[in-house]
Amino acid sequence: MIPITVFTGFLGAGKTSIILSLLPKLPKDYSVVLLKNEFGDVEVDSKLASSSSNLTAVNEILNGCLCCVLVGQMQSALLEIKEKFNPDRIIIECSGSAFPATLAFQIRQLEKDTEGAFKLDAIVTVIDAENFAGYEDTSPTARMQASYSDVILINKWEHVSERQLDVVLDHLHTLNDLTPKIKCQGRDGVDPNLIFGLDSQLFRLEERERHEHTHSHSHPHTDEVQTFTISSSTPPASLPTKAQVEDAILKELSKEVVYRLKGFILLASSDNQTSSSLEILNWAFGRWDWTRYQSTDSETADTPTFVRLTIMGERGPQLRNSGKKVAQLLGAEVIGNDV
């Protein structure tokens, strides 16, 4: 029986970082496979995750949501992971719009179909304390994620005042008063013993599972978030530097409109253009970090040669205009519906 831990949380809450911080704290002979579901077609987080020596494998399902259009893909992926790796644990990291009750229903159904080969261990929701009060007001999905959870991890709380944190906790207690709420310790994350081995009590009632499963399909929640790809395979004559991208783009993005901007970009290492590096950009709600991409011998042909970014945010013309502005500054183009 392979335990499955599901991580949910709104876009940019910090799910990948918390998962990666958990892995080094596990026994060295404990094998974990990460199954990721992400908006867009840029495998940013998987590239980061696969660099962790504590992961047995990383599988990624792109361009859709596991609890809606990709139901069959998730079940097939779980069966394939068991057959190929048979790990000690599977971690599913959902897209920012996933509805946890529906995922729980699917896993419990697979549990029955395989006569107990899998077991739902826990639904873990990651909350971004710095931005939760904002997106909780506008996103039914964010409220659902906080409501249907075995444990809530409060991330980025060190960036807010005590009063702001109290407001977030009040909101969370209103949505879900019985669920444990744990503050993450920065980059150190949380103790695995606090979230692994919980034996989910949340979705025991079959009727409730079926109700939520049906409800989420009749009210598609993915409409809350829109996604565009910003891409160019031809580098300009003069590559931008990290400082230029930060000043012209990253500092100017509105976190009320743009939730995430992430992907790959080739940058000049210095103003004199003598060297360059392919960087992974991860921007969320006004904060960002860079990670130098280390290529491997098994590099795929679609690895970007200049820029390939996914921009995600509030559906509407403002996001579209933000994407076009970023693309224009980088000499790239925007790909997606309604461009």
Side-chain angles (χ1 to χ4, degrees):
M1 182 181 291
I2 301 175
I4 297 174
T5 303
V6 177
F7 277 79
T8 71
F10 203 64
L11 294 165
K15 299 183 291 293
T16 303
S17 297
I18 288 175
I19 291 169
L20 294 181
S21 73
L22 285 166
L23 300 173
K25 300 170 186 173
L26 299 172
K28 289 186 178 180
D29 58 350
Y30 191 88
S31 61
V32 176
V33 171
L34 174 62
L35 176 61
K36 280 186 57 64
N37 175 213
E38 190 54 273
F39 277 117
D41 59 355
V42 185
E43 299 181 4
V44 177
D45 293 334
S46 286
K47 297 287 188 185
L48 289 171
S50 60
S51 65
S52 171
S53 59
N54 303 87
L55 272 176
T56 302
V58 180
N59 287 17
E60 183 148 39
I61 298 176
L62 298 169
N63 277 323
C65 182
L66 284 178
C67 65
C68 300
V69 296
L70 303 179
V71 173
Q73 286 192 40
M74 182 187 77
Q75 294 172 342
S76 298
L78 290 172
L79 291 169
E80 182 181 338
I81 288 169
K82 177 172 175 56
E83 181 180 353
K84 191 172 181 180
F85 303 106
N86 197 31
D88 294 306
R89 179 174 297 274
I90 295 172
I91 294 177
I92 298 177
E93 182 185 343
C94 305
S95 71
S97 69
F99 189 33
T102 313
L103 289 170
F105 174 81
Q106 293 173 30
I107 295 168
R108 294 290 310 285
Q109 187 60 49
L110 187 62
E111 207 173 298
K112 294 175 184 175
D113 295 344
T114 58
E115 297 181 344
F118 301 91
K119 172 188 176 183
L120 177 61
D121 185 18
I123 305 286
V124 179
T125 298
V126 181
I127 296 296
D128 171 3
E130 194 173 14
N131 296 289
F132 181 70
Y135 64 67
E136 182 251 356
D137 286 339
T138 59
S139 171
T141 303
R143 293 193 293 274
M144 290 173 185
Q145 290 168 344
S147 300
Y148 298 96
S149 183
D150 290 297
V151 62
I152 294 174
L153 301 182
I154 302 174
N155 201 20
K156 307 181 188 180
W157 58 271
E158 61 271 26
H159 300 312
V160 303
S161 67
E162 286 188 28
R163 178 175 173 76
Q164 288 173 300
L165 183 58
D166 285 341
V167 170
V168 171
L169 288 171
D170 285 344
H171 281 234
L172 291 174
H173 289 318
T174 301
L175 291 168
N176 193 336
D177 61 335
L178 299 178
T179 296
K181 299 163 187 70
I182 302 168
K183 290 197 293 186
C184 297
Q185 300 305 311
R187 294 282 183 180
D188 198 40
V190 293
D191 184 342
N193 292 317
L194 295 175
I195 57 176
F196 291 160
L198 295 184
D199 187 15
S200 180
Q201 301 296 317
L202 191 59
F203 302 98
R204 292 292 177 193
L205 298 177
E206 296 297 323
E207 292 303 316
R208 179 175 174 181
E209 288 175 352
R210 294 183 188 280
H211 169 73
E212 301 299 349
H213 179 61
T214 303
H215 175 78
S216 68
H217 278 264
S218 60
H219 296 82
H221 49 275
T222 50
D223 285 347
E224 295 174 23
V225 177
Q226 193 165 20
T227 303
F228 296 110
T229 297
I230 299 166
S231 178
S232 173
S233 58
T234 306
S238 178
L239 289 174
T241 63
K242 191 177 294 184
Q244 288 171 337
V245 172
E246 290 176 348
D247 290 339
I249 297 175
L250 305 187
K251 293 177 182 178
E252 299 299 319
L253 289 174
S254 166
K255 66 180 185 179
E256 281 73 37
V257 176
V258 180
Y259 302 152
R260 296 294 302 276
L261 177 68
K262 64 179 185 176
F264 300 87
I265 181 168
L266 187 67
L267 297 175
S269 300
S270 59
D271 291 329
N272 59 20
Q273 299 278 318
T274 55
S275 61
S276 62
S277 62
L278 187 61
E279 299 282 338
I280 298 175
L281 168 64
N282 207 331
W283 185 102
F285 292 104
R287 295 182 180 274
W288 66 86
D289 55 53
W290 299 94
T291 304
R292 185 161 186 168
Y293 178 62
Q294 303 293 335
S295 60
T296 63
D297 294 337
S298 59
E299 199 61 85
T300 57
D302 62 351
T303 298
T305 54
F306 173 47
V307 61
R308 191 163 183 85
L309 300 168
T310 296
I311 187 168
M312 295 168 268
E314 183 180 46
R315 180 171 290 276
Q318 288 183 296
L319 179 69
R320 182 168 59 250
N321 292 337
S322 294
K324 287 181 176 180
K325 184 176 180 181
V326 172
Q328 182 180 14
L329 289 168
L330 293 172
E333 61 177 340
V334 181
I335 305 167
N337 297 326
D338 306 321
V339 174

